[in-house]
Amino acid sequence: MNTWKRTFILGIGATFLTDIWAILLRIFEIKSSGLLIIGNWVSNNLFNIDASTTQAWIIGWTTHYIIGIAFAFIFISIFKNDWFYSPKLPKSLLFGLITVIFPLFIGWPIIGFGVAFSKTPIQFTLVSKAIILHLVYGIGIYLTSILILKINHNKKIDNEQF
């Protein structure tokens, strides 16, 4: 499997783990609506689509995965293809933490919540949730990398047997 495919899968896997995290939050009745807000904003402002439609939901979900995949490509451009042969949790956690800069200082201000949610009455709560979510993304990078490593290792073993 080439680096592009691995990185694409890495982005999907890490983003998928953030979706699992959001589901767990809902199970424990902890509100988390960032994806919905992003989907509504992108739908309304970039595509002029009513946010209450299924199209808006699909656009939000797609935007979420495009961002996760883009972050994975940035990650691999930093750590190179060697990452897939020797993933390290601290590096992926650090990267996850660094990625929180994007929503706090670019994304949420564009949407109208201010820098680091400064225009909201629950700034600390929202910033904390954002940091945790991006650490989950970092864990997703690590776990997906381990999965890719195991799959590639098993393919090598299968190919060597023939």
Side-chain angles (χ1 to χ4, degrees):
M1 186 181 323
N2 70 32
T3 302
W4 287 92
K5 287 179 187 175
R6 288 181 191 165
T7 306
F8 187 79
I9 292 168
L10 184 65
I12 290 172
T15 305
F16 181 71
L17 189 61
T18 67
D19 292 337
I20 299 298
W21 179 255
I23 290 167
L24 288 173
L25 290 178
R26 279 191 216 112
I27 289 170
F28 291 103
E29 298 180 2
I30 299 171
K31 290 184 179 182
S32 177
S33 57
L35 179 60
L36 178 63
I37 293 168
I38 292 167
N40 288 345
W41 187 88
V42 170
S43 298
N44 286 329
N45 293 289
L46 299 182
F47 296 105
N48 201 25
I49 295 173
D50 179 14
S52 65
T53 65
T54 302
Q55 286 177 319
W57 184 82
I58 292 169
I59 289 169
W61 208 268
T62 302
T63 303
H64 172 59
Y65 274 84
I66 288 171
I67 292 168
I69 292 166
F71 279 153
F73 274 94
I74 293 168
F75 180 80
I76 293 304
S77 72
I78 295 167
F79 293 104
K80 309 296 180 213
N81 195 39
D82 294 342
W83 169 262
F84 290 112
Y85 301 101
S86 181
K88 304 281 188 243
L89 183 59
K91 288 180 181 180
S92 61
L93 285 173
L94 178 61
F95 183 77
L97 193 58
I98 290 169
T99 63
V100 82
I101 292 169
F102 176 76
L104 292 180
F105 296 98
I106 299 169
W108 293 118
I110 288 171
I111 292 174
F113 292 107
V115 172
F117 297 105
S118 60
K119 293 183 180 179
T120 68
I122 54 171
Q123 180 182 16
F124 178 79
T125 300
L126 295 174
V127 169
S128 298
K129 284 181 177 181
I131 290 170
I132 292 168
L133 178 71
H134 284 257
L135 286 172
V136 169
Y137 178 81
I139 293 168
I141 285 177
Y142 177 73
L143 293 177
T144 305
S145 298
I146 294 295
L147 182 63
I148 290 169
L149 183 64
K150 289 192 182 296
I151 289 169
N152 282 332
H153 179 71
N154 288 340
K155 282 184 181 179
K156 284 181 183 176
I157 290 172
D158 289 343
N159 289 338
E160 289 171 2
Q161 291 175 353
F162 291 105

